[in-house]
Amino acid sequence: MDYITVEEALKKGAGKVNLRGWVYRIRMSNKFVFIVMRDHTDIIQCVVKAEDKKLFEEASKLTMESSLKVSGELKKDERAPTGYELGVSELEVVQIAEPFPITKDFSPEFLLDNRHLWIRSRKINAVLKIRHTVTGAIHGFFRSRGYYEFDAPIFQPNMSEGGSTLFEVKYFKDKVYLSQSWQLYAEAGIFSLGKIYNMSPTFRSEKSKTSRHLAEFWMAEMEAAWMKLDEVTEVAKDEIRFILKKVLENNRKELEILERDVSLIEKYAKEKYPTIKYAEALGLLNKTYKMDVPFGKDLRTIEEAKIAEHFKLPVVVTHYPTEIMGFYKPPNRENPKEALCFDMLAPEGYCEIIGGSERNLDIKDMENRLRKEGEDPKTYDWYLDLRRYGSAPHSGYGLGVERVVAWICGLDNIKDAIPFPRTMLRKTP
Ligand code: ATP
Ligand code: MG
């Protein structure tokens, strides 16, 4: 028997079809059983009439999430949830589901406890399809621009983003850390491949309970030889617009299911994004919004949110204070208090989605800053070698896949942007 998907059936609109899927909703009376059936593509109403006794008996046994196969004639019906109804002529019950734990009035924590079942929901299904587009677009973007995919180890001997969020792992008789970033290895890779990118799991033991931090997330990173700050920020903007265009091409239906304002996504996909310096951002916050942020402080969520809301677009903020930046972010020669780095802040309260910089080429400066962070520069000797053998300017950035997905989907919490979230308080299922 040839089965088609629910989406294909809805497109076909008439004739006999065979479908298989799960009971999404079910309603019974003494005359009819209405089964709203779902598969990975959509939902469709199927009706079983009482006149067909055997069929009616079978259908009456069905429960929410039971698996089944049905055959029947399609017809248009304005009252059905997706506009068509299948008049069932054959029905095979594959499995009668036990009472499904997820009904109405569930708390977010309950849904997370039942994540293995909740990923079937229309909401998470839509998010995961958009995520699929986003990750595909990232590969497409870099490959179309001549970047090579380059992989780094997940077990790493060094920190790259600060000791406080390192996950330590027993490694035979020794210890290593789970990757906080691909970057340090990428900086070796560019001497071989020039322009490279990667997308891989990234681990940070974030102790803060925010709606924007996961302990395990996917970071899409790039690194390119000879590239300077003004160029790398433009690559980041192009990448975001490229991703948004792909989502608009492929996922209008999912955006609608998520009740996302598509006109905003269209605007972000089309318009140019502003770049401002950190010092200008402070001016804006302190003068226009009467906030009181001194130079030298990292921007907090409320401040980032204000800046992006002011422009109602993603904004690139450059030249953060050197002293609060990682050792690999170089001071600006003309003004060493500011670093050659940037963040991209997304509007609508989503804040930082990308962080990047030119890379420090000054061995002495890096050694000093590593010592200040309590690190032994000796462990970084392999990395410092990259400055000893044909050092060249280069830049790169990291994009948080879940941050971008959460923003595009309009999610309240980053946890819904990944199939099985990991945070300080959540390691199951
Ligand atoms: P934040 O200040 O928000 O913690 P960060 O400055 O630590 O971010 P980077 O080290 O620049 O972040 O990492 C690059 C990108 O990775 C960030 O812009 C963000 O999109 C993403 N990212 C960083 N930490 C997390 C996390 N814990 N969970 C999800 N995404 C993250
Ligand atoms: Mg962080």
Side-chain angles (χ1 to χ4, degrees):
M1 216 186 264
D2 280 341
Y3 291 94
I4 62 172
T5 66
V6 170
E7 193 173 59
E8 286 163 346
L10 293 171
K11 254 192 213 125
K12 198 164 178 252
K16 190 174 179 227
V17 294
N18 310 312
L19 303 174
R20 51 192 165 186
W22 296 267
V23 176
Y24 181 65
R25 279 198 297 262
I26 186 154
R27 193 157 50 83
M28 296 176 203
S29 70
N30 48 14
K31 288 204 181 103
F32 302 100
V33 178
F34 285 106
I35 306 159
V36 178
M37 189 178 116
R38 65 164 188 87
D39 70 1
H40 64 286
T41 62
D42 214 322
I43 56 174
I44 187 167
Q45 178 164 298
C46 307
V47 63
V48 179
K49 294 197 178 111
E51 288 120 58
D52 198 331
K53 249 185 136 190
K54 205 158 162 273
L55 212 58
F56 188 74
E57 216 170 88
E58 274 298 289
S60 305
K61 291 185 207 153
L62 288 166
T63 56
M64 193 176 160
E65 287 303 315
S66 292
S67 40
L68 72 156
K69 297 176 182 173
V70 290
S71 305
E73 287 285 329
L74 286 167
K75 71 174 199 341
K76 222 177 162 67
D77 189 332
E78 304 278 302
R79 295 161 303 176
T82 41
Y84 291 88
E85 187 177 82
L86 184 93
V88 179
S89 53
E90 286 168 60
L91 181 147
E92 182 190 336
V93 175
V94 179
Q95 195 246 346
I96 298 288
E98 294 178 25
F100 199 61
I102 304 172
T103 51
K104 279 193 202 129
D105 304 324
F106 25 62
S107 70
E109 280 310 306
F110 179 80
L111 294 180
L112 286 165
D113 288 339
N114 288 284
R115 190 70 172 181
H116 53 298
L117 303 175
W118 183 236
I119 55 171
R120 306 173 180 196
S121 64
R122 287 199 104 197
K123 176 183 173 180
I124 304 297
N125 174 279
V127 173
L128 295 179
K129 285 176 181 167
I130 290 174
R131 183 185 167 106
H132 165 80
T133 302
V134 169
T135 52
I138 290 168
H139 284 289
F141 175 79
F142 286 113
R143 285 171 178 241
S144 72
R145 290 186 169 213
Y147 286 70
Y148 290 99
E149 189 170 359
F150 175 81
D151 297 319
I154 297 292
F155 287 144
Q156 297 185 3
N158 312 99
M159 64 119 194
S160 49
E161 288 305 318
S164 66
T165 62
L166 277 177
F167 272 111
E168 199 178 295
V169 180
K170 193 166 162 296
Y171 191 75
F172 303 103
K173 285 184 173 153
D174 205 352
K175 65 169 190 201
V176 289
Y177 307 106
L178 295 180
S179 171
Q180 288 178 308
S181 170
W182 160 90
Q183 181 199 322
L184 302 189
Y185 293 91
E187 289 184 63
I190 54 150
F191 290 89
S192 174
L193 295 169
K195 298 194 294 186
I196 55 179
Y197 82 99
N198 177 272
M199 190 162 18
S200 54
T202 303
F203 304 88
R204 297 190 186 181
S205 82
E206 305 279 1
K207 277 106 193 165
S208 59
K209 285 164 239 154
T210 76
S211 57
R212 306 185 312 121
H213 289 90
L214 293 163
E216 175 181 324
F217 63 100
W218 286 70
M219 183 138 67
E221 298 181 76
M222 62 73 73
E223 196 74 32
W226 312 112
M227 205 175 268
K228 294 297 202 78
L229 184 64
D230 56 347
E231 214 184 320
V232 80
T233 52
E234 294 309 306
V235 177
K237 292 176 186 177
D238 287 347
E239 182 185 0
I240 293 294
R241 280 191 296 257
F242 186 90
I243 292 169
L244 293 168
K245 285 197 185 101
K246 289 290 173 201
V247 170
L248 288 169
E249 270 170 45
N250 296 298
N251 300 107
R252 283 181 181 268
K253 183 168 148 187
E254 285 73 34
L255 291 171
E256 200 178 300
I257 290 170
L258 296 167
E259 294 173 18
R260 186 67 167 109
D261 184 345
V262 178
S263 70
L264 286 176
I265 306 291
E266 284 168 343
K267 177 181 153 191
Y268 306 145
K270 198 168 60 205
E271 290 194 18
K272 291 207 153 64
Y273 309 157
T275 298
I276 60 169
K277 287 181 97 178
Y278 167 88
E280 290 170 72
L282 290 195
L284 182 71
L285 292 171
N286 295 343
K287 286 203 193 85
T288 311
Y289 295 103
K290 310 278 176 248
M291 295 169 105
D292 189 19
V293 191
F295 187 96
K297 260 195 72 188
D298 206 356
L299 299 177
R300 292 173 303 166
T301 309
I302 41 163
E303 290 139 10
E304 289 186 350
K306 250 312 177 252
I307 296 164
E309 252 341 271
H310 178 83
F311 294 99
K312 305 214 177 320
L313 280 171
V315 183
V316 166
V317 180
T318 62
H319 299 88
Y320 284 77
T322 310
E323 59 176 327
I324 54 166
M325 290 292 121
F327 72 98
Y328 60 79
K329 292 184 182 167
N332 183 7
R333 264 207 215 140
E334 280 102 71
N335 177 6
K337 279 193 175 346
E338 56 184 36
L340 300 176
C341 63
F342 77 99
D343 279 355
M344 189 189 289
L345 314 177
E348 301 174 80
Y350 288 91
C351 302
E352 185 186 328
I353 51 172
I354 290 180
S357 73
E358 276 186 33
R359 307 313 189 189
N360 204 342
L361 304 179
D362 182 335
I363 294 184
K364 283 264 140 2
D365 181 56
M366 285 196 278
E367 284 178 338
N368 286 335
R369 286 163 70 182
L370 279 168
R371 269 189 219 103
K372 255 194 206 150
E373 287 180 45
E375 290 289 304
D376 181 359
K378 268 213 199 84
T379 342
Y380 293 80
D381 215 39
W382 70 269
Y383 177 73
L384 301 176
D385 265 357
L386 307 172
R387 280 42 172 184
R388 295 185 182 111
Y389 304 106
S391 182
H394 57 287
S395 300
Y397 63 79
L399 170 156
V401 171
E402 290 77 16
R403 295 246 179 120
V404 169
V405 170
W407 168 50
I408 295 175
C409 295
L411 303 177
D412 296 335
N413 197 301
I414 195 167
K415 285 187 270 197
D416 276 342
I418 188 164
F420 294 97
R422 294 288 176 259
T423 67
M424 188 168 85
L425 302 175
R426 163 87 37 208
K427 56 182 187 307
T428 55

